[in-house]
Amino acid sequence: PASIGPLTLRNRTIRSAAFESMCPGNAPSRQLKDYHCSVAAGGVGMTTIAYAAVTQSGLSFDRQLWMRPEIIPGLREITDAVHKEGAAASIQLGHCGNMSHKSICGVTPIGASSGFNLYSPTFVRGLRKEELPQMAKAYGQSVNWAREAGFDAVEIHAGHGYLISQFLSPYTNHRKDEFGGSLENRMRFMEVMRAAGNDMAVLVKTNMRDGFKGGMEIDEAVQVAKRLVQDGAHALVLSGGFVSKAPMYVMRGAMPIKSMTHYMNCWWLKYGVRMVGKWMIPTVPFKEAYFLEDALRFRTEIKEIPLVYVGGLVSREKIDEVLDDGFEFVQMGRALLNEPGFVNRLRTEEKARCNCGHSNYCIARMYTIDMACHKHLEEKLPLCLEREIEKLENQ
């Protein structure tokens, strides 16, 4: 057992905030409940429901949670069920900023600065200075709704090129006011995201690097982390990457383009990604614990609060190494999708290793349907997708 602020977990494992795409109508579903209950029954210390937008403008996908009073009863069903299995429940709160489209979020996407986002693709409107306090209040209100829904913790998403990250990164922040320019100015928006109350654990997911030239690098990221400690975070989740610029820096490996486009509904997007996808989403080689070297730098600089390691953990051997290096907790996403009971197996098998082959089929499918491991599907995949997955897993 170990603690994050006021919360004590039964062990050091956390299901990472990996988007499930299981929320039609932007509300919790039976599928979402069943998945998180399976992870809780599988022995994890805490499971994290992934990406709940703090406003409608913060939605980046159709099947994504949007925090509002009417979904509280459905969320309460999930937290009650998770607690019955002995695990704690967390929810990731965020705003996608420019990573959306009017057809999804209902308005012209907003961000730190105006411009054009090729990822969507769409024009983006920079937030006006007078809009920032209201956006900060939306985060605070979502924390209160999470408390009402029975969550033990919230994870604020300040990485991966979403809204807070867009303010922090020089790549996306071109503002000329006091919220742009120097790192001190770029951190001003983040500073209003303070912990609400003392009865919930507040984790913050933050980048260690943006993952490309022109983005935020590790020296600035360490300063951001130290400011988060000052602002009252109970733990930091150390990640990296920018979904709109360096998506596979976050997840590693290759994006299975055939699988991804197979499920797309928009015909022109389907064929466009088929033609240029491998250049738009370049491969970044996978290795176990791929963020560990950078995370160790943060461990030497930050002693006041727990640090959560995430990124490429699939074996007990590497998890033990990370914990022995001084990280209080570990997060896993794909490993617990592949095997929800993996944590229970870690207890009994010294050489336990999950069966994830890192083809990233689960991510390719997630954008359109839901996050699912190809090894657990009821339907049979087309032969072309089977061959793509086999090729990627045998690289």
Side-chain angles (χ1 to χ4, degrees), residues 255-264 273 281 364 367-368:
M255 177 63 76
I257 298 298
K258 287 181 183 177
S259 297
M260 186 180 188
T261 56
H262 175 76
Y263 297 107
M264 286 181 172
V273 173
I281 313 173
Y367 291 103
T368 310

Side-chain angles (χ1 to χ4, degrees), residues 10 13-16 22 34-47 313-316 319 331-358 362 371-377 393:
R10 61 181 173 182
T13 63
I14 301 171
R15 189 270 182 183
S16 69
M22 297 177 184
D34 289 347
Y35 172 65
H36 283 280
C37 282
S38 72
V39 174
V44 79
M46 180 163 72
T47 187
L313 293 180
V314 293
S315 71
R316 174 170 162 174
I319 290 170
Q331 281 193 356
M332 292 174 281
R334 286 168 289 187
L336 296 179
L337 186 69
N338 171 262
E339 187 180 340
F342 185 45
V343 175
N344 279 340
R345 195 154 63 85
L346 290 173
R347 301 176 190 277
T348 58
E349 296 181 28
E350 200 167 315
K351 299 295 184 182
R353 186 182 188 89
C354 80
N355 196 30
C356 178
H358 318 301
C362 56
M371 181 180 260
C373 180
H374 71 92
K375 296 177 181 179
H376 305 316
L377 297 178
E393 294 194 348

